[in-house]
Amino acid sequence: MTKTIISFILVLFTLQLSAQQKMTNYTALWKKVDDLVQKSGLTKSALEEVNKIYARAKKENNAVQQIKALVYKGNLSAENTENADEKNISVLLTELKSAKEPAGSLLNSIIAQEYWNYLQQNRWKLYNRTATAIKNTGTLEEWTAEDLHIVITKHFLASLENKKLLTATKLSTFEPIIIKGNVRQLRPTLYDLLAHNALTYFSNTEREIRKAAGDFEIDDAIAFTEASTFAKHPFKTSDSSSLFFNALLLYQELTALHQNDAAKAALIDLEIKRLEFVYEHAINSNKEDLYIAALKALQKKYNNEPAVAQAAYLESSVLFNRAQAYAPESGQTENRFGLVTVKAQLEEIIKKYPGSEGAANAAGLLQQIERKELSMQTEKVNVPG
């Protein structure tokens, strides 16, 4: 189990009902565990403490702390247990059978992530295996990469099935016990948190590299359009297992959820991520022009929102790459003053949206443009003899 999983769990599973927290001071118990691991390196002793926490949480019917304990147990057991990944997944699947909501949704997301981690760590041997029929009692050693993709997709989608409950679960309700990040306002509900976790999988190319003729491809220009049009567009395919297709559908769900928000930061962040994803994977011959037009439209619509600074930066990045193609010595005279234009745009972003993510990125690119360099090219000479 990776550090990514642990950090994800630490964020998700601090979600705890106030009434349950009053029963036990879990913060003190977890501090003891962390001290045993980080300060003393006593993983065996830490595992014993985690087992105690799990037993107490189970007795108090505290599902969140139970799952957190299970994740810690899996991590601490990994070093000394053969087939630790498979055994840990088996434990989580058993827990899932009796889990109530929203714990069930959280567990499905974690299980999907565990399977994906296993695939990433073992891809070198997985892609050489022949196809099998997946069985719950089967060993992972018999599965192919495709078997894993099917199960990962299944659990990520299952984690989002109870949309009504998850969107009603506001993270602000649990303010005293949530580990805060610097983009907390961008994930206002539990559904947002789980959906974005699923998107990290659906947006990757792991499965798409083995595509066959007829598989889903992003070639519809509507994928670049503004929120209300995009959210209602019926993307169609016979390849419903495609990661990219599922990513587009999930972006539509999230867009529909946030397009009428009073605060626009979450929607703008979502729009930017969607456009980046589509631009990277679309096969349209004019996708760069569609991308720039979409970024410009976003800036125009939310001109006074700090979050839109990132869209302005991304536009400047594309124009910067175009300007790099200027090479008069080889006849490439287009974009002669491209860098001058980009420099002015970056300075405007920094001035207009101070303290924003986009302004920070703009400052980095501006520094790159202004960095002084000296280069020279000499003709190759062959000396006689």
Side-chain angles (χ1 to χ4, degrees), residues 305-314 345-367:
E305 295 283 347
V308 85
Q310 180 66 7
Y313 159 73
L314 291 173
Q345 289 179 334
L346 294 172
E347 290 171 340
E348 177 63 21
I349 295 170
I350 296 168
K351 178 182 178 181
K352 188 172 183 178
Y353 306 106
S356 66
E357 177 190 9
N361 291 330
L365 184 55
L366 182 61
Q367 187 177 39

Side-chain angles (χ1 to χ4, degrees), residues 104 129 132 161 196 202 216 222 257 278 324 334 336 354 361 365:
R129 293 179 186 168
T132 65
E161 283 181 354
H196 280 278
F202 290 131
F216 177 75
I222 296 296
L257 176 64
V278 174
Q324 293 293 90
E334 192 176 356
R336 179 181 179 185
N361 291 330
L365 184 55

Side-chain angles (χ1 to χ4, degrees), residues 217-279:
E217 293 181 321
I218 302 176
D219 57 1
D220 192 334
I222 296 296
F224 286 96
T225 55
E226 52 84 34
S228 60
T229 302
F230 167 75
K232 294 183 292 186
H233 184 68
F235 291 99
K236 297 179 180 179
T237 182
S238 58
D239 180 24
S240 59
S241 65
S242 166
L243 299 188
F244 291 171
F245 178 69
N246 279 290
L248 277 180
L249 295 185
L250 191 46
Y251 273 117
Q252 285 186 305
E253 290 284 340
L254 286 166
T255 301
L257 176 64
H258 290 296
Q259 63 180 336
N260 295 319
D261 287 357
K264 298 301 180 182
L267 177 62
I268 294 171
D269 175 72
L270 182 63
E271 286 286 86
I272 290 172
K273 283 181 167 51
R274 187 248 300 182
L275 291 173
E276 285 186 282
F277 164 71
V278 174
Y279 175 56

Side-chain angles (χ1 to χ4, degrees), residues 86 118 126 129-135 137-145 147-148:
E86 186 165 352
Y118 177 83
L126 285 167
R129 293 179 186 168
T130 55
T132 65
I134 297 178
K135 298 179 180 179
T137 55
T139 171
L140 287 178
E141 288 298 318
E142 299 173 356
W143 289 20
T144 65
D147 293 332
L148 283 163

Side-chain angles (χ1 to χ4, degrees), residues 30-79:
W30 285 117
K31 185 179 185 307
K32 183 177 181 181
V33 171
D34 290 336
D35 286 346
L36 285 170
V37 175
Q38 297 170 10
K39 295 181 179 180
S40 306
L42 301 174
T43 56
K44 186 175 180 180
S45 297
L47 182 57
E48 292 174 356
E49 294 301 321
V50 171
N51 286 329
K52 293 177 184 177
I53 294 174
Y54 175 79
R56 181 172 297 191
K58 194 174 182 70
K59 182 179 179 181
E60 296 179 356
N61 197 29
N62 189 326
V64 172
Q65 293 293 346
Q66 279 180 249
I67 299 172
K68 183 175 178 179
L70 288 171
V71 172
Y72 264 75
K73 285 171 67 174
N75 187 53
L76 293 170
S77 300
E79 298 179 8

